[in-house]
Amino acid sequence: MSNPFDDLEAETAESPNVEDDEETVETAFVDEESVESEDAKDSGSVESTPAESGPAFEYDAVRQRPLYARGETWDAFEKKLRTTITPTLAREDVVDEETREIHDAVLRLATEEPERIAELVLEARREE
């Protein structure tokens, strides 16, 4: 059996300060967002679109936990992400979606439909 974290070691070696980079990007984005919200206050109350509002929540609010899935499941998810989810967001002018937003939405969907999660687990066990 192979180590499920093998691919993580390669990613870590390529970019050792990923978390630092993300925090820097987030800080820059938050500062820019603060300026924009001050401008909005000055010009009156203007509702922003999802494309203008930035990520739904800050990186600080994230609790990282590993998700373990089969390769074909990840591949199918990533394909749907590229072919359905991202284009749907792009139609709403959201082109800067964050991975944490997608993962959060997936978990919220699972929370809304727990019976379906149980069904899928049972189906997988019956197939084996």
Side-chain angles (χ1 to χ4, degrees), residues 34-51:
S34 300
V35 170
E36 289 175 6
S37 66
E38 289 298 320
D39 291 343
K41 287 178 187 173
D42 292 341
S43 64
S45 179
V46 177
E47 286 189 35
S48 64
T49 67

Side-chain angles (χ1 to χ4, degrees), residues 53-66:
S53 67
F57 53 93
E58 297 300 323
Y59 186 77
D60 299 12
V62 171
R63 182 186 312 164
Q64 269 187 311
R65 294 285 190 257

